[in-house]
Amino acid sequence: MYTTVGAAMENAAGDGTKAWNSGGSNILVRRVVQITMFLGGFGVLWMCFYLIVSPFEFPTFSPYFIDESSKGYYDPKLESVLRSACMKDKTVILTTLNDAWAEPGSVFELFLESFRVGNQTQRLLNHLVVITYDQKTQARCLYMHKHCHKLKSGDNFTGEVFYMTPNYLHMMWKRLEFLGSILDMGYNFVFTDCDIMWLRDPFKHFYKDADFQIACDAFNGNSTDINNSPNAGFKYAKSNNRTIWFYKFWINSRSSYPELNEQDVLNRIKMHPSISNMKVKIRFLSTSYFGGFCEVSKDLNKVTTMHANCCVGLNNKVHDLKILLEDWKRYIGLSQYDKTESHPSWSVPQSCK
């Protein structure tokens, strides 16, 4: 193919040179044409090489032209729920819920309780939208909360979904696609797993200049350091061209890592040069404020959210989250002096160790 293209270019160049030289020879023009042909051929070869051999084992698709499949999730009923729940700047708080976590005494009850006993968090329930996967969970959600939406899907996520099983991976990627569609609809969102307890208003600790900010399993002290370990269970994304592109880039990267979940794929692609080229501003949230069982927020005077991460098994999560809320209730019952001077601490993790 390249021989044919090169011959055609050479013939065309030769014809043009003859026409120019009809009145005499012009060596300079010949040299210019030859150099142009060389550079053009080199550019074609470089592009082919780039598409075949991707640096750092990153995905090989073009970062600028990504399919818009996530827009297929648009639903007028969802739009209505988002509109009624959003803040003035079109920000919503989102979580997903299946049947196992919605059962009486399970994670969802503890999640809602954390908003009610947290410091200035109860009002945030007005902006919480719970996405459910089946009709039973939807009915249970509406009994306990006013903003619930059943996702149109033929998937079965009703029972306890075990970490890294095929059903778990499918659910995580479906969730990511759904969140991408929220950005497409023009809404900013804070996504939170249900096993995260909201103890203070997190908006006070978000970075105003960031497009996308995410919690960490372990935080190294620098919010701009891409080497932090992200935890996809808690993230804040603003709807703009950069984040819409970023989510589609993230979703499409699954094909390069089919056996990984969305969090691990993010950890692989976070250094991709296309993300910096698109000027996506990413910040990592300190575990001093956004902690969990992987790296506990040690100062109860700072803690904002606590995540039952690094914990396998629904019963273990429920056990430790109940203890966590009891610790918090004891803390808020202390005098201001004791809160400052007695250095109260957590009794967890226990079953989640």
Side-chain angles (χ1 to χ4, degrees):
M1 179 186 72
Y2 298 114
T3 303
T4 304
V5 172
M9 291 175 66
E10 187 172 0
N11 289 337
D15 291 342
T17 304
K18 289 176 183 177
W20 179 272
N21 288 338
S22 58
S25 175
N26 193 320
I27 297 175
L28 177 61
V29 172
R30 286 179 182 272
R31 293 292 173 86
V32 170
V33 171
Q34 289 172 352
I35 292 170
T36 302
M37 288 172 58
F38 173 78
L39 292 176
F42 179 79
V44 170
L45 289 173
W46 185 89
M47 285 299 294
C48 291
F49 179 79
Y50 176 80
L51 292 173
I52 294 170
V53 184
S54 178
F56 313 113
E57 297 184 353
F58 288 141
T60 57
F61 52 84
S62 167
Y64 297 100
F65 300 97
I66 298 178
D67 70 82
E68 298 186 356
S69 59
S70 61
K71 289 199 175 185
Y73 281 85
Y74 177 77
D75 181 345
K77 291 183 179 179
L78 173 61
E79 173 71 47
S80 177
V81 174
L82 294 174
R83 189 166 53 247
S84 63
C86 70
M87 303 174 190
K88 290 181 180 179
D89 65 349
K90 295 191 72 176
T91 298
V92 290
I93 301 168
L94 296 171
T95 194
T96 52
L97 181 66
N98 70 354
D99 182 44
W101 286 33
E103 287 292 321
S106 193
V107 172
F108 188 50
E109 282 190 4
L110 299 173
F111 178 67
L112 295 179
E113 183 183 356
S114 74
F115 282 86
R116 298 186 183 108
V117 302
N119 184 359
Q120 299 180 355
T121 51
Q122 184 161 355
R123 61 182 178 80
L124 296 176
L125 286 172
N126 295 324
H127 307 295
L128 171 67
V129 175
V130 181
I131 305 301
T132 64
Y133 294 111
D134 61 88
Q135 193 55 51
K136 179 183 176 183
T137 308
Q138 175 72 2
R140 173 71 177 162
C141 180
L142 288 172
Y143 176 74
M144 302 177 69
H145 184 65
K146 62 181 178 179
H147 299 306
C148 304
H149 176 76
K150 180 180 173 294
L151 193 63
K152 290 182 178 179
S153 171
D155 300 304
N156 181 9
F157 301 132
T158 55
E160 182 176 0
V161 180
F162 294 98
Y163 183 68
M164 294 306 290
T165 59
N167 205 31
Y168 171 87
L169 292 174
H170 184 57
M171 183 172 72
M172 292 298 100
W173 285 105
K174 282 289 186 181
R175 186 177 79 178
L176 191 69
E177 291 175 10
F178 173 77
L179 293 176
S181 74
I182 298 298
L183 297 174
D184 276 326
M185 294 168 68
Y187 289 90
N188 316 311
F189 66 78
V190 177
F191 176 80
T192 172
D193 279 342
C194 263
D195 61 346
I196 294 178
M197 303 294 100
W198 284 52
L199 306 175
R200 287 188 174 91
D201 182 353
F203 289 90
K204 298 176 181 179
H205 300 291
F206 290 144
Y207 298 94
K208 293 182 180 179
D209 64 338
D211 297 311
F212 175 81
Q213 36 203 315
I214 188 167
C216 299
D217 283 335
F219 182 65
N220 66 15
N222 182 354
S223 68
T224 63
D225 187 352
I226 209 74
N227 291 304
N228 280 296
S229 301
N231 186 299
F234 188 90
K235 46 191 175 282
Y236 176 29
K238 296 178 181 177
S239 177
N240 57 43
N241 291 335
R242 294 182 297 277
T243 54
I244 291 171
W245 171 87
F246 172 65
Y247 261 74
K248 287 174 181 162
F249 183 75
W250 186 359
I251 292 163
N252 278 271
S253 298
R254 182 186 185 184
S255 61
S256 297
Y257 311 102
E259 296 182 356
L260 300 183
N261 63 18
E262 90 292 8
Q263 178 176 300
D264 291 336
V265 170
L266 174 61
N267 215 25
R268 296 290 185 92
I269 67 169
K270 63 187 180 182
M271 295 183 184
H272 197 293
S274 296
I275 294 176
S276 58
N277 289 342
M278 289 295 290
K279 302 187 185 304
V280 182
K281 296 179 181 177
I282 299 175
R283 300 293 288 268
F284 295 88
L285 300 169
S286 170
T287 51
S288 294
Y289 299 99
F290 302 91
F293 295 160
C294 295
E295 192 166 280
V296 176
S297 299
K298 296 179 181 179
D299 189 347
L300 271 68
N301 294 305
K302 292 182 177 180
V303 62
T304 299
T305 61
M306 277 286 285
H307 190 181
N309 53 4
C310 292
C311 184
V312 177
L314 178 57
N315 291 336
N316 291 333
K317 287 179 181 285
V318 171
H319 177 271
D320 279 16
L321 288 175
K322 285 180 178 179
I323 295 173
L324 186 152
L325 288 180
E326 290 304 314
D327 286 346
W328 175 257
K329 290 173 187 176
R330 281 193 293 272
Y331 164 78
I332 59 177
L334 296 174
S335 67
Q336 191 58 47
Y337 175 83
D338 287 335
K339 286 179 181 177
T340 305
E341 300 298 327
S342 63
H343 305 292
S345 60
W346 300 109
S347 302
V348 288
Q350 292 183 12
S351 297
C352 288
K353 282 185 179 179

